[in-house]
Amino acid sequence: MTPEGLSYPLGRTPSPGEAVQAAPGVLWLRMPLPMTLNHINVWALADGESWTLVDTGMQTTETAAAWQSAFSGVLCGRPVGRVICTHMHPDHIGMAGWLTRRFDCQLWITRLEYITCRMLAADTGREPPADALRFYRAAGWNEAAIEDYKARFGGFGKHIYALPDSFRRLTDGDEIEIGGRTWRAVIGRGHSPEHLCLHCPELALMISGDQVLPRITSNVSVFPTEPEADPLADWLASIGDVARRVPDDVLVLPSHNEPFKDLHARLSQLDAWHEEGLGRLREALRSPKRAIDVFDVMFRRPVGPSLLTFATGEALAHLNCLIHRRQVVREIDADGIAWYRAA
Ligand SMILES: [Zn+2]
């Protein structure tokens, strides 16, 4: 999607180790990521004599080095008093355990994000479960793709420093005081189970995590642990909820790409993008198809092996949404393959 209509008022982007002031007492830092999406934005909020950090980067030696240089540089040697994570994906929570132990402070996070993270991290070292293999075979994966999945299984935990063994729970509507200002928790769903956004009316800022991104669409996927889930319905409901609760005048601080204005326009674009995808899918399912057969209807670029899990999860999110809307039906054939067709 083109970010048409959005504006990016800050003008410059911090290099690793640098910071750009997004608002009084709010610093924008960037941590490197070892993938095509090569960065994550994290935020340091001045909080008396210490910092409250929002998100932490993935566990890599490069991220640790970037934090080390930030501590003595742009963070002026002041300690971290609290770590807040928007959600449990490794690029956000990966260094939370390292930071909280180093500064002997607490992790603040929603309960479902904390518990889901512990659950997924515990997969590291386990055999790939039969449920997961059945799930991906049903989507149409061939045996080479299944073997590749088996080899990669458990990778989640490898990108996360051991999580803190306790946490401080945040829930929807909570008000947190940071540096004398009130930040309100706005929970979103669909990309992850209980994703935290933070809205500060006084500064007209919203830290949006992966719930609202300016240039890319967040992954909304079905995973083998809950094959019948309808995360796209959650996602679309959250788009409406954020639009109702957060005014359009905020500067949005997203986890990827640059801080932007025009939140409500972006939310409308995202809603339209998914609804159009659902419409194309409904058309395509006049003849029965497997999940892997709808990739070219849904995605503009070809899906290679490295994107297969994401693409399958996202295709299933749209297919399950149409099933829940009673517009598509699914039949499982004698080989365990799921075929979808318009109802
Ligand atoms: Zn994420």
Side-chain angles (χ1 to χ4, degrees):
M1 150 170 305
T2 57
E4 224 169 343
L6 307 182
S7 58
Y8 300 89
L10 293 190
R12 52 183 290 261
T13 299
S15 309
E18 277 185 3
V20 168
Q21 181 168 295
V26 178
L27 297 184
W28 168 23
L29 290 80
R30 266 198 168 175
M31 295 293 148
L33 288 181
M35 47 183 84
T36 317
L37 184 59
N38 64 4
H39 69 274
I40 175 167
N41 301 323
V42 301
W43 315 96
L45 312 184
D47 196 4
E49 289 308 301
S50 64
W51 296 100
T52 286
L53 301 181
V54 182
D55 285 338
T56 68
M58 189 179 278
Q59 183 196 212
T60 64
T61 50
E62 290 77 13
T63 308
W67 275 123
Q68 301 277 19
S69 74
F71 295 148
S72 54
V74 293
L75 300 181
C76 307
R78 282 192 235 149
V80 175
R82 159 168 60 188
V83 174
I84 298 176
C85 282
T86 57
H87 66 297
M88 51 91 190
H89 291 155
D91 47 337
H92 301 258
I93 206 170
M95 295 299 269
W98 182 78
L99 288 161
T100 52
R101 286 177 179 90
R102 182 184 170 114
F103 291 98
D104 192 22
C105 64
Q106 259 188 319
L107 169 64
W108 294 44
I109 189 169
T110 65
R111 184 183 279 166
L112 269 183
E113 297 294 333
Y114 179 82
I115 288 173
T116 309
C117 191
R118 291 283 297 262
M119 177 193 94
L120 291 173
D123 276 344
T124 303
R126 285 183 62 213
E127 286 287 306
D131 295 40
L133 305 184
R134 191 182 309 121
F135 175 86
Y136 287 117
R137 284 195 180 107
W141 284 21
N142 60 27
E143 285 310 303
I146 293 286
E147 286 306 317
D148 190 48
Y149 175 80
K150 286 182 185 170
R152 281 184 293 106
F153 182 77
F156 184 94
K158 293 176 188 154
H159 304 297
I160 297 174
Y161 195 95
L163 267 195
D165 293 298
S166 61
F167 68 104
R168 167 87 176 245
R169 184 186 183 190
L170 287 169
T171 60
D172 197 31
D174 278 357
E175 294 190 340
I176 318 168
E177 198 196 296
I178 305 170
R181 294 191 177 91
T182 299
W183 292 75
R184 202 166 289 147
V186 178
I187 303 300
R189 298 174 204 281
H191 172 69
S192 67
E194 197 184 359
H195 180 297
L196 173 75
C197 301
L198 287 170
H199 171 219
C200 179
E202 188 184 340
L203 291 171
L205 287 182
M206 177 190 181
I207 294 176
S208 67
D210 283 350
Q211 194 71 35
V212 192
L213 297 172
R215 297 183 195 270
I216 50 178
T217 54
S218 311
N219 184 262
V220 175
S221 273
V222 176
F223 294 102
T225 38
E226 196 186 342
E228 316 299 330
D230 185 2
L232 189 53
D234 289 342
W235 179 255
L236 294 170
S238 292
I239 285 177
D241 193 43
V242 171
R244 273 187 300 277
R245 293 169 62 189
V246 183
D248 193 36
D249 67 357
V250 291
L251 177 67
V252 185
L253 308 182
S255 291
H256 306 289
N257 300 119
E258 302 82 39
F260 68 99
K261 299 278 284 192
D262 311 303
L263 169 68
H264 287 196
R266 183 56 180 155
L267 292 169
S268 301
Q269 289 172 359
L270 292 169
D271 184 75
W273 188 83
H274 285 290
E275 289 295 347
E276 283 161 20
L278 288 168
R280 287 198 306 277
L281 200 51
R282 242 183 356 245
E283 279 302 305
L285 292 177
R286 287 167 184 276
S287 61
K289 291 186 171 56
R290 302 166 298 177
I292 60 162
D293 300 327
V294 303
F295 290 168
D296 52 340
V297 179
M298 294 200 49
F299 309 114
R300 294 213 173 91
R301 51 183 172 158
V303 174
S306 66
L307 289 175
L308 185 60
T309 307
F310 274 124
T312 303
E314 187 115 357
L316 288 168
H318 287 77
L319 291 164
N320 279 6
C321 184
L322 290 175
I323 290 175
H324 283 260
R325 290 182 183 184
R326 300 181 188 283
Q327 293 172 344
V328 160
V329 292
R330 182 187 62 189
E331 277 147 15
I332 312 285
D333 72 15
D335 297 319
I337 312 292
W339 293 87
Y340 301 82
R341 61 177 171 79

